[in-house]
Amino acid sequence: MQRNLLFILMSMVLLSPLAIDIYLPSLPTMAQDFSVSNSQVQSTLILFLFAMGLGQVIIGPLADRFGRRPVALFGLVLYILSSLLAVVSKEFELLQVARVLQGLAACSTSIVVFSAVRDCYSVKDGAKIYSYLNGVICVVPALAPTLGGVLALYFGWRSTFAFMMLYGLIMLVIVLWKFPETRPVNTVSEGALYRWARYKPVLTERHFLFYAVCCMTGMGAILTYVSYAPVWLIGQLGVSELVFSGLFGINAIINIAACFGAPWVIKKLGNRPTVILALSLLVGSAAMQFLAQEIGSQMGMAAAVGFMLPMALLCIGFALLLGPATSMALSAFGERAGTAAAMLGFIQMSGASLLAGLIQQTSLTAPFAVITVMGGGAIILLSIMSMKRMNAWHVERLAQD
């Protein structure tokens, strides 16, 4: 059963990254078709991630109350319907609604996947399963844009959402047929679903807040890069959808390699030093991007490479940052790990979407928007970590005892 379950979980976890990456090459074309600005079409990414973050708080308790299987089925049906709504949307506002619903749907299936790992595997085996799942998630950004570019080239951008709908249908059949209820019988499922007393100890813990903001900053930098890259490279610099997919895929492969190398770095340096290294890489990426824009080419393939090369350093920094920052944020919550993880996901994803959404309201070009989010955020966080009087916010607990 567990072997079949792993296959289902790995297949189901693809729904979220697929909905982010497969339609990236189509963003400039979508802006033209709907006669909207670049920032408006980028909002379809922002809204999706914001809904995923908000769903952590809303849907998480529902999986404990009603079980994993009903929430998974709800998420898949909503994913299919929201993808269909995107396919048939004639008004841009309907597309935005579809993306919000799709974000909630992807959040539902993601919560079920990671809950099922905790339900069915030991701590030791669960760590391996999480590694498999994260590996699958990292592979999608390398492959999905190329698939999306080919689909858009031959069938138009709506075909990318039709592909999501088809994949959702396949997963619905698999889950109906093979996915069992995994919720433990001793799961607490009574009482109020949402109450302040559950979240207050988490949101008032300084250590949690600092490292949650670290995660949010890294995710905000990645989201700004991902949302700006297609409209900048395709719309402004004039590269083709397939060339964009290739460049984006190279950076995704670098991110995959960094994800696999991150555990070794963390083992050698420790959590807090790795966070410092990762934030320093974000600052370095911002500096490289600034130099590329000041002294590099401004058009064509050379400019595209000049924009994407510093983003490779961002991908490495993000891969190094997320693991130790997440571990440090959750370190104080042995008995509230589920609630703390949900709040961390909310802050990370919804906060990042707000950061990216705010920067899109400015007149900054893509390179300088990314510089502002990742460079500015990383510098502020590194400055806090350099202050002894702020040690309670960021120094590891064992180092304090």
Side-chain angles (χ1 to χ4, degrees), residues 4-202:
N4 292 335
L5 182 63
L6 177 58
F7 169 77
I8 296 172
L9 297 179
M10 292 176 69
S11 302
M12 207 176 348
V13 83
L14 292 177
L15 290 163
S16 173
L18 186 67
I20 294 173
D21 295 299
I22 194 171
Y23 84 119
L24 289 180
S26 300
L27 286 179
T29 303
M30 292 168 65
Q32 293 176 0
D33 283 359
F34 284 107
S35 299
V36 298
S37 66
N38 288 333
S39 63
Q40 286 176 293
V41 78
Q42 288 167 334
S43 72
T44 58
L45 275 171
I46 306 300
L47 289 170
F48 176 87
L49 198 66
F50 182 84
M52 273 205 73
L54 185 61
Q56 299 286 323
V57 181
I58 297 174
I59 299 170
L62 296 178
D64 287 337
R65 173 65 61 85
F66 300 108
R68 319 307 191 207
R69 183 177 163 87
V71 171
L73 293 173
F74 164 78
L76 286 166
V77 171
L78 185 59
Y79 193 90
I80 294 164
L81 294 177
S82 58
S83 299
L84 176 61
L85 180 59
V87 171
V88 302
S89 293
K90 300 299 182 183
E91 301 294 330
F92 183 67
E93 292 74 15
L94 273 181
L95 179 63
Q96 290 177 309
V97 170
R99 290 295 284 171
V100 170
L101 296 176
Q102 205 171 33
L104 292 172
C107 178
S108 301
T109 56
S110 179
I111 285 173
V112 168
V113 166
F114 287 96
S115 297
V117 174
R118 293 197 302 270
D119 297 339
C120 299
Y121 297 91
S122 68
V123 174
K124 182 179 179 181
D125 290 338
K128 296 178 183 178
I129 302 302
Y130 286 133
S131 297
Y132 292 143
L133 295 176
N134 288 328
V136 170
I137 291 172
C138 288
V139 167
V140 173
L143 302 178
T146 301
L147 172 62
V150 172
L151 286 173
L153 184 64
Y154 289 101
F155 305 106
W157 65 264
R158 294 179 190 274
S159 65
T160 60
F161 289 95
F163 183 89
M164 296 181 216
M165 181 179 67
L166 177 62
Y167 188 80
L169 279 168
I170 293 171
M171 288 309 307
L172 179 62
V173 172
I174 292 174
V175 169
L176 279 170
W177 183 32
K178 287 289 187 179
F179 186 70
E181 177 56 64
T182 66
R183 183 184 63 171
V185 294
N186 63 344
T187 300
V188 177
S189 58
E190 298 178 353
L193 280 174
Y194 312 107
R195 58 185 187 275
W196 172 241
R198 166 183 280 184
Y199 303 110
K200 181 180 178 181
V202 177

Side-chain angles (χ1 to χ4, degrees), residues 259-278:
C259 285
F260 281 109
W264 181 85
V265 175
I266 296 167
K267 183 178 179 181
K268 290 290 183 180
L269 299 182
N271 283 331
R272 184 174 176 275
T274 303
V275 170
I276 293 173
L277 172 61

